[in-house]
Amino acid sequence: MIEIPEGLGGKIFKGCGCISIGIVLMFILVIVIGICVDDEETTDEKKEEQKTEQVEKKDSVVVNAPLEGDPYKELDELIGLEQVKEEVHSLANFVKIQKQREKKGLKIPKMSLHLVFTGSPGTGKTTVARIVARIYKDLGVLKKGHTVETDRSGLVANYVGQTATKTNAIVDSALNGVLFIDEAYALVPTANKNNDYGQEAISTLLKRMEDDRDRLVVIVAGYTNEMKRFIDSNPGLQSRFNRYINFPDYTSGELCDIFNMYVKKNQYSLTPDAERYLKTRLDSAVKHKDRNFGNARYARNIFEKSIQRQANRLSSEKNPTTRQLSEITASDIREAFNK
């Protein structure tokens, strides 16, 4: 029988204990590192999700703070839209007088300041909505006068119960300003769909228009016939939206003026041939337009493509003159239309 010296067993066990503790500590360290890596990956995933949500919100909702300056002057300086200007001024006069009657203690009739803008794309509906928001602020109807611009995608969610939350969030951001809903008719599908949540958005919106009637103005916009179908789809919409402003398509002459506005604003100039060619092509475009014709957007796109063509044409010039850098030729505009 081998005798173990006194104290040796304790040392052995202590050594084993140190080894065991070391192994346990290493195991814990591995687990902690794994958790930290997982947390870091999860954090990155969350960041990506938040980033995606922000992009989606940015794409479907645009918030415009009120600009400085005279909104009435800006309205009058818009190209065309004479009937629209007249109706907006008339609305402003009505609100102004009612406010004065209210200060004198006189009764004021119940009035709806919500609006329906009808017309084709690119006819100035969004621009006028921003101006109306600032006019309402000037008249004391709204405190901020900002606009929150959205469409169906900004109001309607993909699952049950989420649309009301989404719509309420948009309305909250528009309080004391104008909520502008473009292509609002998309909230009412043409075919009966049991899983469509557009009606939930409409119901939520109508409730908020009532609950926040002193803090919220809603402007809905879209094609004339489609907007009629939208308003007629719900008695609540009919009672709240009783002011219509129609935005006519631009004439070819007005589109020329819009094109030239961009030319002047960006310090370009047109050659005489370019002016004649532009008018001819815009006359033809208006004559053969369909319902998707872009109006002012069309003129802006032609301008942008024209200056792109000019840049390509001058790229081989080593030292172009100021005139060359400013001048848009007929060939530049021809290429723009052809593209």
Side-chain angles (χ1 to χ4, degrees), residues 83-321:
Q83 186 63 34
V84 172
K85 297 173 187 177
E86 183 179 335
E87 293 191 40
V88 172
H89 276 294
S90 178
L91 173 62
N93 291 337
F94 176 76
V95 174
K96 179 180 179 180
I97 295 303
Q98 299 314 309
K99 284 288 184 180
Q100 291 178 352
R101 287 175 56 86
E102 185 178 25
K103 287 181 179 179
K104 298 293 185 182
L106 298 173
K107 291 183 178 180
I108 58 173
K110 185 177 180 180
M111 55 182 179
S112 174
L113 300 179
H114 309 298
L115 298 167
V116 181
F117 287 176
T118 61
S120 302
T123 50
K125 297 185 293 294
T126 304
T127 299
V128 173
R130 295 171 185 171
I131 292 175
V132 167
R134 292 164 59 197
I135 289 176
Y136 279 165
K137 179 186 177 183
D138 178 70
L139 294 172
V141 174
L142 298 172
K143 290 183 179 180
K144 293 183 179 179
H146 66 296
T147 57
V148 175
E149 301 159 17
T150 189
D151 53 19
R152 177 189 165 91
S153 64
L155 300 171
V156 178
N158 295 324
Y159 303 100
V160 176
Q162 294 182 345
T163 293
T165 301
K166 195 173 184 180
T167 301
N168 277 319
I170 298 297
V171 172
D172 287 341
S173 67
L175 289 177
N176 299 312
V178 166
L179 174 59
F180 178 78
I181 306 175
D182 197 16
E183 298 180 349
Y185 52 82
L187 293 171
V188 181
T190 53
N192 292 325
K193 295 182 179 180
N194 296 327
N195 61 341
D196 185 83
Y197 306 121
Q199 289 294 345
E200 183 181 355
I202 293 173
S203 298
T204 304
L205 180 62
L206 289 174
K207 184 177 185 304
R208 292 300 301 273
M209 290 171 70
E210 179 60 28
D211 294 346
D212 300 293
R213 56 184 175 275
D214 296 326
R215 302 178 61 197
L216 178 68
V217 170
V218 180
I219 300 177
V220 292
Y223 289 109
T224 303
N225 292 335
E226 283 83 345
M227 289 307 296
K228 184 179 186 305
R229 175 176 63 82
F230 168 69
I231 298 298
D232 291 345
S233 70
N234 188 305
L237 293 173
Q238 295 175 13
S239 63
R240 288 170 177 80
F241 292 99
N242 51 29
R243 293 179 180 274
Y244 289 72
I245 298 180
N246 180 61
F247 287 68
D249 285 0
Y250 286 105
T251 65
S252 60
E254 290 169 342
L255 292 179
C256 279
D257 291 340
I258 292 172
F259 187 98
N260 282 307
M261 175 189 70
Y262 287 114
V263 168
K264 182 178 180 181
K265 181 179 179 180
N266 293 280
Q267 293 186 315
Y268 285 91
S269 62
L270 295 178
T271 65
D273 286 346
E275 289 184 8
R276 288 190 291 269
Y277 185 79
L278 175 67
K279 184 179 184 308
T280 299
R281 289 300 297 264
L282 287 177
D283 284 343
S284 177
V286 169
K287 184 177 180 180
H288 298 96
K289 68 183 177 183
D290 58 20
R291 76 191 302 266
N292 296 318
F293 183 66
N295 285 284
R297 295 174 194 167
Y298 181 80
R300 184 188 65 205
N301 289 338
I302 295 299
F303 168 76
E304 291 175 353
K305 291 177 181 178
S306 296
I307 61 175
Q308 180 64 56
R309 159 61 183 166
Q310 184 232 39
N312 291 335
R313 176 170 55 81
L314 295 177
S315 61
S316 60
E317 295 284 342
K318 292 184 179 180
N319 188 24
T321 64

